[in-house]
Amino acid sequence: MFQLFSVTEMRILLINSYSMENAYQLWSEGKSGSHHVWGKIELERISDFKMIIFPHEKYKWLNRIGGKVGITHLDQQIRILFSPGSYDVLYAPYNTKNTKLLLFLKFLKIYRKPVVVTIHQPFIGTNSSSYLVRKITKKLLMTYDASIYLSEALLAQAIEKLKIDTDAIANKLYTAQWGPDLNFYANSKFSAGATESYLISAGHTARDYETLIEAFRRLDYKLKIFCTPRSMPKIAELPANVSIHSEFIPYIELMEHYINAEAILIPLKYDRIQEGCQGMTSIQDVVALGKPTIITKNITLNLDAEKEGFGIFVEMGDVDGWVNAVKTLMNDKTKMKQMSENALSVYRKKFNADIFANQLKTVFTQFWKERDK
């Protein structure tokens, strides 16, 4: 049985697939937004919950072993197993990336702490054509005490594909819209003052820079791409109007490039079976900085850029579509100004870290109330 605590006594252990200590340090220094700490700042501000950041890595050799057996972040999970008294509920914003072992032990009823996760893409085998795989997927998903889908469409897909019953939906499955920090951008010292006109695209997950570059071969506008060596596009000859920056750049410095850009471009490429919240992090920059965007169409994202009036959709891999969308955008400055205003309105009213924290509070409060009955 779980050891039960009142809400005011509940300690939430926050784990992640990257160094959350570093994300928290950057926030405390004013160099990054609180949304990269996944609700800790705002949740503690509006409630009595205490969110404790678990040290990301201590024994690298355990992670090397984990890598050989297909269990990422093994070090974290073993240390969690040996510190059960330091927390009441485990919160993992990247679910299976650092809970695979814990999930298996929980399935076997060996690990008994409550686990709350967020889900960004279809959970494991949700879209599998195999009935057996989907059945196993459902059992694993239901092993978590609460799963917070970051997209309503993604949750609806899981309910349909996995045939989840009404009781499970009410008690274990939730949605919450992850959004950007309201204070960080407002307090930014940067202001527009570019000496050149350019568009920008940044990110390293599921990016289709190759298609974007091909489009800019036929455009007269400048494009700046910020990526990593791993996500760097494989292009033999780069057009003169495109520059690629693959070296590490702190977010606070990237912001200056964002602020001075005409628009933020989000080209995406992924297997349709894995369609989820790809592009979500870049959308946060779009709304928080009030920039027009062109984005590869992703119907699973909670935020519809076209419907909200701050973006243009392009089909995946569509070079002509990118050429036409950029021309349409850049040739209508009045439309761009309105799109910027719409982006900021969405940020203030329906897509920010305060809203996410309130949704988290509902999940954690209901979660414990249900188990206190």
Side-chain angles (χ1 to χ4, degrees):
M1 294 293 293
F2 298 138
Q3 183 179 1
L4 298 179
F5 296 83
S6 69
V7 171
T8 56
E9 297 170 341
M10 195 169 86
R11 300 158 299 170
I12 303 168
L13 190 65
L14 174 61
I15 63 170
N16 216 332
S17 57
Y18 59 80
S19 176
M20 194 67 80
E21 310 100 290
N22 184 54
Y24 181 75
Q25 182 66 28
L26 289 173
W27 168 80
S28 65
E29 293 173 355
K31 297 178 180 178
S32 184
S34 65
H35 49 291
H36 293 297
V37 199
W38 283 90
K40 170 181 168 62
I41 309 305
E42 290 78 12
L43 184 62
E44 291 184 342
R45 186 184 301 149
I46 63 172
S47 73
D48 293 319
F49 294 115
K50 176 65 177 175
M51 199 174 283
I52 305 160
I53 296 175
F54 192 68
H56 176 64
E57 185 178 63
K58 188 173 182 180
Y59 304 111
K60 291 185 178 181
W61 60 272
L62 279 174
N63 283 336
R64 287 195 291 270
I65 292 173
K68 293 179 180 179
V69 296
I71 302 176
T72 54
H73 306 288
L74 180 62
D75 161 55
Q76 265 189 16
Q77 296 176 77
I78 289 179
R79 283 186 290 119
I80 287 169
L81 287 173
F82 283 93
S83 55
S86 63
Y87 65 100
D88 308 313
V89 58
L90 186 67
Y91 170 43
Y94 282 86
N95 62 82
T96 55
K97 282 191 176 181
N98 50 357
T99 62
K100 188 176 289 186
L101 174 63
L102 298 175
L103 180 62
F104 177 68
L105 296 177
K106 193 169 180 63
F107 181 76
L108 297 177
K109 301 189 185 305
I110 296 172
Y111 177 69
R112 293 181 173 272
K113 286 284 186 178
V115 179
V116 177
V117 298
T118 66
I119 296 181
H120 310 221
Q121 273 84 44
F123 182 70
I124 309 179
T126 297
N127 291 327
S128 174
S129 58
S130 167
Y131 169 77
L132 179 59
V133 170
R134 293 198 306 274
K135 187 174 182 179
I136 294 171
T137 294
K138 180 179 178 180
K139 284 185 176 295
L140 291 174
L141 180 63
M142 292 299 103
T143 298
Y144 288 125
D145 295 88
S147 297
I148 306 169
Y149 279 77
L150 301 184
S151 159
E152 293 172 7
L154 200 59
L155 174 57
Q157 178 190 78
I159 291 170
E160 178 189 355
K161 298 281 187 178
L162 303 179
K163 309 298 181 188
I164 299 172
D165 59 55
T166 305
D167 287 344
I169 297 169
N171 296 320
K172 288 202 169 191
L173 302 181
Y174 307 84
T175 58
Q177 178 60 67
W178 185 48
D181 185 341
L182 276 171
N183 297 319
F184 172 71
Y185 297 93
N187 296 330
S188 168
K189 301 294 190 297
F190 290 125
S191 60
T195 57
E196 61 176 344
S197 174
Y198 63 89
L199 298 92
I200 190 170
S201 186
H204 60 89
T205 303
R207 288 305 190 270
D208 186 11
Y209 292 127
E210 289 80 4
T211 294
L212 189 60
I213 291 170
E214 289 307 311
F216 270 78
R217 290 188 193 279
R218 294 157 49 186
L219 292 165
D220 294 327
Y221 308 105
K222 289 186 177 181
L223 170 67
K224 291 184 180 182
I225 293 175
F226 290 84
C227 57
T228 63
R230 182 175 295 183
S231 61
M232 187 173 177
K234 298 175 176 62
I235 299 290
E237 185 178 346
L238 205 63
N241 60 331
V242 177
S243 59
I244 297 177
H245 309 265
S246 61
E247 67 278 5
F248 171 75
I249 179 171
Y251 183 72
I252 197 71
E253 294 180 22
L254 179 62
M255 263 187 66
E256 187 169 10
H257 294 280
Y258 266 140
I259 289 170
N260 286 297
E262 299 275 0
I264 296 175
L265 310 182
I266 312 174
L268 302 171
K269 179 172 62 178
Y270 50 86
D271 292 334
R272 288 294 184 186
I273 197 171
Q274 287 299 320
E275 185 170 27
C277 296
Q278 291 92 346
M280 179 174 58
T281 303
S282 291
I283 283 286
Q284 302 212 22
D285 294 317
V286 167
V287 298
L289 297 172
K291 294 293 179 179
T293 189
I294 304 172
I295 179 173
T296 303
K297 189 173 185 179
N298 180 353
I299 61 173
T300 313
L301 277 176
N302 253 7
L303 208 58
D304 186 320
E306 280 195 345
K307 184 178 178 181
E308 299 289 352
F310 64 83
I312 299 173
F313 283 142
V314 176
E315 295 297 330
M316 192 182 299
D318 184 359
V319 175
D320 289 339
W322 276 102
V323 171
N324 294 334
V326 171
K327 286 181 177 179
T328 298
L329 185 66
M330 297 297 286
N331 289 333
D332 192 341
K333 297 300 181 182
T334 300
K335 180 180 176 69
M336 289 182 71
K337 185 175 184 298
Q338 184 60 55
M339 291 171 77
S340 294
E341 292 173 359
N342 292 342
L344 289 171
S345 177
V346 166
Y347 172 45
R348 290 189 293 265
K349 295 176 181 178
K350 61 172 69 173
F351 187 71
N352 58 63
D354 284 13
I355 293 172
F356 180 65
N358 274 290
Q359 291 168 310
L360 279 186
K361 182 181 177 182
T362 298
V363 172
F364 284 116
T365 301
Q366 181 173 337
F367 177 74
W368 281 91
K369 280 182 177 179
E370 288 295 319
R371 284 152 181 78
D372 262 334
K373 287 181 179 179

